[in-house]
Amino acid sequence: MALSRTQRPGNGVSTRWVSFFCIASFFLGVLVVNRFWTDSGSVKINEASSVLKRQRKEVNPLVNCDKDASVQEGEILSQVSQTHDVIMTLDKTISSLEVQLAAARAGKADSGEGSPMGTNSGFENLIERPKLLFVMGIITAFSSRKRRDSIRETWMPQGEDLKRLEKEKGILMRFVIGHCATPGGVLDRAIDAEEEQHKDFLRLNHIEGYHELSSKTQIYFSTAVAKWDADFYIKVDDDVHVNLGMVGSTLARHRLKPRVYMGCMKSGPVLAQKGVKYHEPEFWKFGEEGNKYFRHATGQIYAVSKDLATYISVNRHILHRYANEDVSLGSWFIGLDVEHIDERSLCCGTLMDCERKAQAGNPCGASFDWTCSGICKSVERMKEVHQRCGEGDEAIWHTSF
């Protein structure tokens, strides 16, 4: 039997060498592939790192290490503050225009003149209205001629001074009254004659009546915001003493705030018993008998900012009116983002309280007696209260808002 021999391929290369070359080629391929992946991964990592660095530079600019860190922080805060101020100013301007347009629409609707959008001139006149700090509506009645005269003789300027107050200080004041049930009757004629003499009335499209005070308040704000452009609108009773300079200074501190509702906030009991003063026929809406009202400003004097007065005007047909007008006003703001400011200087007592504060150089904004829901016997006592609790007749002219 012949011995086995190593076979050779046809070209003369042995199979052993072929196997060697195959194995060598495999390891060479593995080496090349590994080197390729290593280089490729390094490039990708470098690219990712570069992208990340660029992103960090965009988000966090290079800080000059030579500068003090506190200085750089101050500069950044200053820029942020300036940007915030610009945004707030722009927002206030847009809001003001929207409020003015809404008020104009409401006013036109009440007067039957149609929408102000019909002509450009109506909107232009609205924008050109002089800007006031506040409009003060003194709620009065047909039977209150002596009360009005007591105010004219004390804290309310008259004649040219009334016009000057509006022009120089941005304060406009009017006695607010509607009409009697019989148009053109003796009561209406008496108010017409008084208006001819003093030029200090705002007549409302409203029929006067004690149980219609909520409606009268609503119409007053709607009419005032459509007629005059002011930062605040005030309602005050005609048996309250007011220091105009102090009221103006107090309101001016809140001039840039939106949706301000200012007054002496209280939460009195809901009176369910019939026949008593301030009886609330809808007492059941406030929960169990003996509950208290939500916080609201007492009715002797309160102020609302322009946007809230406009809100009342625009929604006057669906705002519910309770028996007491101060409760009604407070209820209209429930659910709104409103700042309630409890300003106790608007409800000083007479005479010891307001006189003591006036002597200390800090006169009250408004004074009255809680027991009388106004100054007791205001016709006889208004002059005394003014002398002892007033800020001085010249104070309003020297006060800067």
Side-chain angles (χ1 to χ4, degrees):
M1 183 174 177
L3 295 174
S4 61
R5 299 185 177 201
T6 303
Q7 297 182 358
R8 296 177 180 270
N11 57 4
V13 180
S14 69
T15 57
R16 183 179 298 174
W17 285 104
V18 171
S19 300
F20 174 77
F21 282 120
C22 289
I23 294 172
S25 298
F26 171 77
F27 282 107
L28 180 62
V30 170
L31 180 63
V32 171
V33 170
N34 286 342
R35 179 64 181 270
F36 172 79
W37 281 110
T38 302
D39 293 343
S40 176
S42 177
V43 171
K44 290 182 178 180
I45 291 173
N46 290 336
E47 289 178 354
S49 177
S50 177
V51 170
L52 182 59
K53 289 180 179 179
R54 286 199 300 271
Q55 291 177 344
R56 287 176 176 174
K57 288 180 180 180
E58 292 174 358
V59 175
N60 300 313
L62 288 176
V63 177
N64 188 349
C65 296
D66 295 334
K67 290 187 177 182
D68 185 76
S70 62
V71 175
Q72 294 170 5
E73 182 180 356
E75 292 177 353
I76 294 174
L77 291 176
S78 176
Q79 293 177 1
V80 171
S81 178
Q82 292 175 5
T83 303
H84 178 72
D85 290 342
V86 171
I87 294 174
M88 289 293 291
T89 301
L90 181 60
D91 182 67
K92 181 177 176 61
T93 302
I94 295 174
S95 177
S96 177
L97 291 174
E98 291 176 342
V99 165
Q100 291 176 11
L101 183 57
R105 285 173 173 165
K108 293 287 185 179
D110 283 342
S111 61
E113 296 175 9
S115 171
M117 297 299 289
T119 62
N120 292 330
S121 59
F123 188 67
E124 290 172 358
N125 291 336
L126 178 65
I127 297 178
E128 293 172 357
R129 294 187 301 173
K131 187 67 175 180
L132 302 171
L133 173 58
F134 67 79
V135 171
M136 176 176 286
I138 308 170
I139 305 299
T140 191
F142 290 114
S143 59
S144 299
R145 173 63 189 262
K146 291 183 178 180
R147 285 188 177 184
R148 293 191 291 272
D149 286 340
S150 71
I151 290 177
R152 292 182 179 116
E153 294 169 0
T154 53
W155 56 268
M156 180 179 180
Q158 289 298 292
E160 292 300 319
D161 283 342
L162 191 63
K163 297 178 182 179
R164 179 188 168 196
L165 188 67
E166 177 182 347
K167 183 177 180 180
E168 295 184 9
K169 299 298 180 180
I171 296 175
L172 188 144
M173 304 171 62
R174 295 291 186 271
F175 288 105
V176 179
I177 196 168
H179 298 274
C180 61
T182 305
V186 63
L187 297 178
D188 280 334
R189 291 200 302 270
I191 295 296
D192 292 339
E194 193 175 343
E195 162 66 6
E196 182 67 23
Q197 179 183 358
H198 295 284
K199 308 294 183 184
D200 57 5
F201 276 95
L202 171 63
R203 301 298 297 273
L204 302 179
N205 183 19
H206 166 75
I207 297 177
E208 287 291 320
Y210 178 78
H211 296 292
E212 298 296 328
L213 289 179
S214 292
S215 177
K216 182 175 182 177
T217 300
Q218 190 180 76
I219 295 173
Y220 157 63
F221 282 118
S222 300
T223 304
V225 78
K227 190 175 181 65
W228 296 294
D229 180 18
D231 290 317
F232 296 95
Y233 298 84
I234 299 175
K235 176 263 179 182
V236 59
D237 289 342
D238 61 3
D239 55 355
V240 173
H241 180 269
V242 176
N243 282 319
L244 297 175
M246 292 303 299
V247 170
S249 298
T250 301
L251 291 175
R253 294 198 298 268
H254 305 280
R255 202 167 193 170
L256 298 180
K257 296 180 180 179
R259 299 177 298 280
V260 169
Y261 172 35
M262 180 187 295
C264 291
M265 299 296 165
K266 67 174 184 177
S267 180
V270 181
L271 302 180
Q273 183 180 354
K274 292 183 178 181
V276 300
K277 192 176 184 180
Y278 307 126
H279 165 62
E280 178 57 73
E282 298 179 87
F283 62 91
W284 60 273
K285 290 185 177 180
F286 298 93
E288 300 301 324
E289 187 172 342
N291 280 0
K292 290 186 176 182
Y293 288 115
F294 41 78
R295 288 283 175 183
H296 62 280
T298 186
Q300 285 82 0
I301 180 171
Y302 48 74
V304 300
S305 55
K306 180 179 180 178
D307 38 12
L308 292 184
T310 302
Y311 172 81
I312 295 172
S313 175
V314 173
N315 298 283
R316 64 198 182 283
H317 298 303
I318 59 173
L319 293 176
H320 186 71
R321 296 185 292 272
Y322 290 99
N324 302 302
E325 53 92 10
D326 53 351
V327 173
S328 294
L329 185 80
S331 72
W332 299 336
F333 302 148
I334 293 294
L336 301 183
D337 186 12
V338 173
E339 181 175 358
H340 291 60
I341 298 178
D342 185 17
E343 182 54 62
R344 308 313 293 182
S345 70
L346 297 181
C347 52
C348 295
T350 66
L351 278 165
M352 293 180 60
D353 185 19
C354 61
E355 183 180 24
R356 175 174 51 83
K357 293 178 180 177
Q359 291 175 350
N362 187 31
C364 296
S367 305
F368 58 88
D369 303 307
W370 287 100
T371 55
C372 299
S373 298
I375 296 178
C376 299
K377 300 181 179 180
S378 64
V379 174
E380 295 82 4
R381 297 181 60 238
M382 184 65 75
K383 186 173 293 186
E384 179 188 9
V385 172
H386 183 64
Q387 291 173 348
R388 297 172 61 175
C389 300
E391 61 190 352
D393 294 338
E394 296 299 317
I396 183 62
W397 307 111
H398 301 297
T399 303
S400 178
F401 305 122

